[in-house]
Amino acid sequence: MPAEANVTLSWIIPAREEARGLALLLADVQEGLAEGDELIVVDGESQDDTPTVARLHGAHVVSSPPSRGGQLRHGVTLAQGHRFVLIHADSRLAGGAELSRQLRRLPPGRAHCFRLKVDDPNPCFRVLEWLVAMRTAVLGLPYGDQGLVLDRRLYERCGGFRDLPLMEDVDLVLRLRPWGGVRQLPHSICTSARRWRRHGLPGTSLRNMILMLRWVLGEDSETLKRDYYS
């Protein structure tokens, strides 16, 4: 891995129907871009203005069938940076240039994720954030909404993302375990509470756990996707 000053970051964001929130995330990322960095948005055939919003904010926009694992995989194949920063489109990142400097200083050969923060003041979400932090620290099992930061070489060694419409994050995280798993950074990534608001915090959390268990037991990802989005 080159010295810190030469470590380039490839920010890769899968998106679908995210025109409203994507502009805010891209503005966050733009604050920390340095020479040689790149910003790639992989659009999953959105019917709204997601591609236009991404281009207006300086992103290189490519299209891919709507499968988050496939979109991430496609974005990585186009990336030129030494280190990948993979984040969901409904996220926010504070820190700008200082955060980017910290990401460049991370030791090579290890994967990292952010601490989860939810954009809702309800105290129940502070409990959720704590539980997610404990799950990540104890079980080494972050989800995709916590983002993922890893070097190109490590990504290639573990086999990268599979073209899965759901559970692509857990699938990759489990394959990273022989290389030390995923460490949690002190920096937070803020994610939208919209799904929890729509379906309720207890019900959504329980359903996510059941879906992950079904996947670990061998159920097809397409079936899980239908249940998740129904």
Side-chain angles (χ1 to χ4, degrees):
M1 174 64 65
E4 173 196 329
N6 297 322
V7 174
T8 53
L9 303 177
S10 291
W11 297 80
I12 303 169
I13 304 170
R16 187 166 188 260
E17 317 292 353
E18 292 287 356
R20 292 185 62 184
L22 181 60
L24 298 173
L25 171 61
L26 295 179
D28 293 341
V29 175
Q30 285 282 3
E31 289 182 13
L33 290 183
E35 184 177 356
D37 291 350
E38 57 188 350
L39 177 53
I40 300 172
V41 171
V42 187
D43 179 61
E45 301 178 356
S46 296
Q47 299 302 306
D48 65 0
D49 292 330
T50 294
T52 301
V53 169
R55 291 189 184 95
L56 288 173
H57 284 79
H60 173 51
V61 181
V62 294
S63 183
S64 175
S67 164
R68 190 139 60 195
Q71 289 172 246
L72 286 163
R73 186 179 182 90
H74 184 52
V76 168
T77 63
L78 302 173
Q80 301 296 313
H82 301 107
R83 184 164 290 161
F84 304 143
V85 187
L86 309 148
I87 48 180
H88 290 180
D90 61 348
S91 305
R92 296 294 308 274
L93 274 173
E98 178 56 33
L99 173 61
S100 291
R101 280 193 290 270
Q102 292 294 327
L103 297 182
R104 295 177 212 283
R105 294 172 186 155
L106 293 175
R110 291 298 301 264
H112 296 80
C113 68
F114 297 96
R115 294 182 67 91
L116 184 71
K117 184 177 179 181
V118 184
D119 66 349
D120 191 303
N122 189 318
C124 293
F125 286 104
R126 307 292 81 78
V127 177
L128 174 67
E129 292 165 359
W130 183 84
L131 290 172
V132 169
M134 291 301 99
R135 184 194 69 212
T136 304
V138 176
L139 300 179
L141 192 60
Y143 289 170
D145 52 10
Q146 292 174 252
L148 191 63
V149 184
L150 75 170
D151 298 335
R152 175 184 298 276
R153 183 175 299 179
L154 178 57
Y155 177 87
E156 293 171 348
R157 290 170 77 183
C158 74
F161 283 106
R162 292 197 293 158
D163 189 359
L164 299 173
L166 200 70
M167 298 298 167
E168 82 291 335
D169 46 0
V170 177
D171 177 65
L172 180 59
V173 164
L174 292 177
R175 284 186 282 113
L176 283 166
R177 284 185 169 176
W179 287 275
V182 181
R183 290 185 178 180
Q184 190 167 221
L185 296 167
H187 308 284
S188 295
I189 188 169
C190 187
T191 192
S192 171
R194 59 188 176 184
R195 184 161 291 275
W196 287 296
R197 293 187 188 121
R198 188 179 305 136
H199 302 292
L201 178 55
T204 300
S205 300
L206 178 61
R207 184 172 66 164
N208 289 344
M209 292 172 55
I210 292 173
L211 286 169
M212 185 179 70
L213 179 60
R214 288 167 57 188
W215 181 80
V216 170
L217 294 175
E219 196 158 345
D220 179 71
S221 183
E222 282 289 349
T223 302
L224 299 180
K225 176 190 174 184
R226 287 195 297 271
D227 291 350
Y228 180 76
Y229 289 106
S230 62

